[in-house]
Structures are given as C-alpha cells and as structure tokens.
C-alpha cells in the first residue's frame, strides 16, 4: 500500500466519533486532541486536501469555547494551529487568540527557578518545579509559530530560550538522549528514565520551531550541537526491527509506535531545515522506522502499539509495567506527521 493510502486511513479514523474515549475523542481541548489537530494541519499543508482544512475550521468552531478554562501548558497545544489557520483564512479571530495566549505564556505562565515553563496539566494534579520534555511540543511550538506570524522577536527569543533550557536540563551528557523530566527542587531527573516519547516530542518539535524562528533570531551553535547529539544518540538506540523501545536504553521493553514515529519524523524534518547532517544515514533510519510502523496500522486506520498518557513514572520499570497501550490521537498524529513527510520526500 502507498504511503498516501495509509495516511488517508489514519486521518479518517481520527475524525470519527470516539465520544467518551479519552485517547481518541477529538472533541475536547487538551494536549491529546491538540497533537491530533497539529498533525492534521501538517497533513493539509502536505496534501492541500480541502476536506482536512474544512474539518479543522469546523473543529475549532465546535471546541474553542472549551479553551476558556484554566490556562495550563497542555491546553496550549491546540492553539498551535491558529497561526496557520489565520494565514489560510485571514480570519482575525485566529490571530487575536494567538496573541492572547502568547502573552499569557510570556508573562503569566508558571516558571521553574531555571526559567523553564513549568509543566502544567488540565487534570487536577500539580508537578511543581518540574520540567518535562513534552512542553516543547505542547506550548513552545505554538509560541514559535505566533512569533513567525507577528514577526515578533520577543516571542522568538522566548521560544529559543525555552528550547535551550529544556535541552540543558534534560540532556544526558553521556548518551546525548533526553531524560523524561527534571525536578528543580531536588535537582535530579527523578526516576532517570530516558523515555522514548519524551525524546520524540523534542525530536519532532525542535525542527518545527527552528523553521518558524530562524529568520527572527540567530540559531546558536549550542542548539545545533545539542540537537545533533540528541539525534545521534537516538539513532544508536534504534532497535534492529526499526522501532524504539518505550524506554530508549531498555531493548527488553516493548516497542512504542508513537515515539518511534515522532523520532523518525524529527530526523526527516531536521534534515529539511538543515539542523543535522548525515542525510543519507538519517533518512535511511527514518525509512526503516516507517516500514516497521506500517504493520501497526489496522485496516480501519487505528495506530496500535501506543503507550497511554504517561507522567514521569516513579521507576523505570513502571514505564513497561504500569502504562497501558491503546490507540490515541497523539499516536495517530505522530504517525500521520511521519506519513505526510514521507509522501513529500517521495515526490
């Protein structure tokens, strides 16, 4: 089957009625549907399929009122489509909302003592003084896109600052890969898990961010060096079957599809925006991952082999034993982003 046929199945499954299914219900306002709609916009931009754009505009109309609740990092994720929708439609409402949310991020969002955005969530639980890799995709991507839309150096500088802080705090100096989180109070990486999807959020998010802000701020050599070490480290953890285990350095753990798709997408996108070299090797690694992911897509377009929502777990073993696997919009989304990128590469 052609890559476009897989993509069609995946996105069509995303927009079905999955009411009451936390992982697949797209009609609420949080990071799970947020990753889904970010991926749908990526897919639209790759294909110019007007059905996808029409769906996104309808989705915003149906769900935007749900965004008026508590402002948290994870609820920023869906706003990442607003700059793009403004460019496509000229509807000033998208631009106004993007500015409102960007101003909140800059001036009101809780920060840790290192000035990182504290990872806040819609659930009734707090992660005080914690830095999570997820924040880069869930909030900083939005900020970078709004910076590009407005030609705002202030927003671009903040986006770059957040990327660098997260890389400095989370990167393992020995392997180059990232820990899931950092606790600023205790000064440690908590369980010390090098969780695959955490790495995928940054592998996929940073090239997208760089593409938005490169014309507004200079890209420091530190960013290129750190990101290069990350991708090199991730390549060394890819398993012979083409996928990554749910914890990078535990090949005995199960293979995790959403993280694998995010890393493979990040490899291709980073080549495109000239963040990394070794183009032939990295492109081949992404192709290997794509071929390994395809069998996890059911005939109905559901992406299987995806771990559920995962906070920083108390032990490394808990990532294997205590996190269930089921289809989710972020699993669908990361796979759709990879499929869209693969289809462009093959044109």
């Amino acid at each position: 089957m052609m890559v476009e046929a897989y993509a069609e199945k995946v996105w069509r499954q995303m927009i079905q009625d999955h009411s009451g299914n936390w992982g697949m219900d797209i009609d609420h306002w949080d990071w799970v549907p947020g990753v889904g709609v970010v991926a749908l916009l990526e897919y639209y931009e790759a294909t110019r399929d007007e059905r996808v754009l029409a769906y996104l505009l309808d989705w915003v109309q149906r769900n935007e009122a749900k965004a008026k609740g508590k402002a948290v990092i994870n609820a920023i994720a869906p706003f990442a489509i607003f700059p793009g929708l403004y460019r496509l439609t000229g509807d000033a409402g998208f631009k106004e909302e993007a500015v409102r949310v960007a101003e909140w991020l800059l001036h009101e969002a809780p920060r840790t003592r290192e000035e990182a955005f504290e990872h806040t969530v819609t659930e009734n639980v707090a992660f005080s003084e914690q830095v999570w890799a997820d924040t880069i995709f869930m909030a900083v991507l939005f900020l970078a896109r709004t910076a590009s839309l407005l030609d705002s150096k202030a927003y671009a500088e903040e986006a770059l600052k957040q990327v660098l802080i997260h890389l400095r705090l989370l990167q393992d100096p020995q392997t180059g890969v990232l820990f899931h989180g950092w606790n600023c109070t205790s000064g440690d990486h908590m369980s010390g898990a090098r969780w695959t999807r955490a790495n995928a959020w940054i592998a996929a998010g940073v090239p997208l961010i760089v593409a938005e802000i490169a014309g507004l701020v200079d890209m420091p050599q530190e960013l290129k060096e750190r990101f290069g070490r990350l991708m090199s480290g991730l390549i060394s953890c890819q398993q012979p079957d083409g996928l990554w285990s749910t914890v990078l350095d535990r090949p005995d753990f199960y293979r995790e599809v959403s993280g694998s798709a995010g890393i493979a997408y990040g490899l291709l996108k980073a080549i495109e925006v000239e963040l990394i070299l070794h183009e032939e090797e990295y492109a081949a690694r992404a192709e290997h991952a794509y071929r390994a992911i395809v069998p996890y897509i059911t005939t109905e377009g559901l992406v299987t082999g995806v771990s559920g929502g995962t906070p920083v777990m108390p032990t490394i073993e808990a990532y294997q034993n205590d996190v269930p696997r089921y289809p989710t919009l972020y699993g669908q989304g990361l796979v759709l982003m990879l499929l869209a990128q693969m289809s462009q590469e093959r044109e």
Side-chain angles (χ1 to χ4, degrees):
M1 191 184 295
M2 299 284 287
V3 62
E4 293 81 7
Y6 288 115
E8 174 78 13
K9 285 175 176 282
V10 168
W11 93 264
R12 296 295 296 174
Q13 184 58 240
M14 292 169 73
I15 66 171
Q16 300 305 307
D17 183 1
H18 294 282
S19 300
N21 177 342
W22 177 86
M24 288 295 293
D25 183 2
I26 201 166
D27 279 313
H28 61 114
W29 198 277
D30 201 357
W31 71 277
V32 176
V35 176
V37 295
V38 166
L40 286 171
L41 184 59
E42 286 276 301
Y43 181 58
Y44 169 73
E45 290 175 343
T47 63
R48 296 291 158 174
D49 185 333
E50 292 299 326
R51 296 173 301 163
V52 182
L53 178 58
Y55 177 82
L56 286 171
L57 294 171
D58 183 61
W59 181 86
V60 173
Q61 189 172 35
R62 290 199 315 270
N63 292 287
E64 189 178 10
K66 301 169 187 175
K68 306 302 183 186
K70 184 179 177 184
V72 295
I73 287 296
N74 271 355
I76 302 299
F79 286 111
I81 68 173
F82 277 39
L85 292 180
Y86 172 72
R87 286 192 170 105
L88 289 165
T89 67
D91 183 338
F94 291 120
K95 185 177 181 180
E96 291 162 6
E97 273 296 277
V99 171
R100 181 186 69 80
V101 175
E103 286 295 301
W104 177 82
L105 271 175
L106 244 65
H107 303 297
E108 298 180 52
R111 295 178 185 242
T112 70
R113 62 195 67 188
E114 290 98 343
E115 282 293 298
F117 292 145
E118 184 179 283
H119 192 78
T120 49
V121 299
T122 53
E123 295 86 357
N124 187 27
V125 60
F127 302 102
S128 177
E129 286 282 334
Q130 289 190 21
V131 179
W132 291 16
D134 314 44
T135 298
I136 294 298
F137 198 95
M138 304 311 161
V140 181
L141 174 58
F142 156 78
L143 188 60
R145 287 180 169 177
T146 306
S148 175
L149 178 66
L150 300 174
D151 285 329
S152 169
K153 190 168 183 178
Y155 292 171
E157 287 174 343
E158 185 64 43
L160 176 59
K161 172 183 171 182
Q162 290 298 324
V163 169
L164 288 172
I165 292 172
H166 280 73
L167 286 172
R168 289 166 187 162
L169 292 177
L170 298 175
Q171 193 157 36
D172 176 9
Q174 274 72 51
T175 64
V177 303
L178 308 175
F179 295 101
H180 188 176
W182 169 261
N183 188 312
C184 303
T185 303
S186 53
D188 60 35
H189 294 105
M190 296 174 278
S191 59
R194 300 168 181 86
W195 183 49
T196 291
R197 196 161 63 237
N199 282 262
W201 293 133
I202 289 186
V206 169
L208 288 169
I209 289 165
V210 167
E212 300 289 347
I213 66 173
L216 295 168
V217 290
D218 292 330
M219 289 299 121
Q221 189 61 29
E222 180 190 357
L223 173 59
K224 295 177 181 177
E225 288 175 355
R226 285 188 177 277
F227 191 81
R229 291 207 304 276
L230 167 61
M231 301 313 269
S232 178
L234 290 174
I235 286 301
S236 72
C237 295
Q238 189 176 22
Q239 298 303 313
D241 61 12
L243 299 177
W244 282 263
S245 300
T246 194
V247 175
L248 290 169
D249 53 350
R250 291 297 299 266
D252 54 317
F253 283 14
Y254 68 83
R255 306 294 187 259
E256 207 282 323
V257 171
S258 68
S260 297
I263 292 167
Y265 169 82
L267 285 166
L268 295 175
K269 200 70 180 179
I271 292 168
E272 182 183 296
V273 302
E274 300 181 347
L275 256 182
I276 55 175
L277 302 175
H278 309 297
E279 292 188 19
E280 286 186 17
E281 179 193 359
Y282 285 165
R285 294 295 193 126
E287 174 78 23
H288 190 27
Y290 157 72
R291 294 184 180 279
I293 287 165
V294 160
Y296 286 86
I297 303 173
T298 70
T299 54
E300 296 80 22
L302 285 167
V303 176
T304 61
V306 174
S307 59
T310 309
V312 179
M313 300 298 283
T315 65
I316 290 173
E317 284 68 27
Y319 287 84
Q320 166 82 352
N321 299 328
D322 299 341
V323 181
R325 280 162 275 173
Y326 46 81
T328 67
L329 287 164
Y330 54 84
Q332 302 285 128
L334 288 167
V335 168
L336 184 62
M337 289 170 70
L338 173 60
L339 295 173
Q341 189 71 22
M342 292 290 299
S343 68
Q344 287 183 301
E345 301 270 327
R346 293 179 175 189
E347 285 181 356

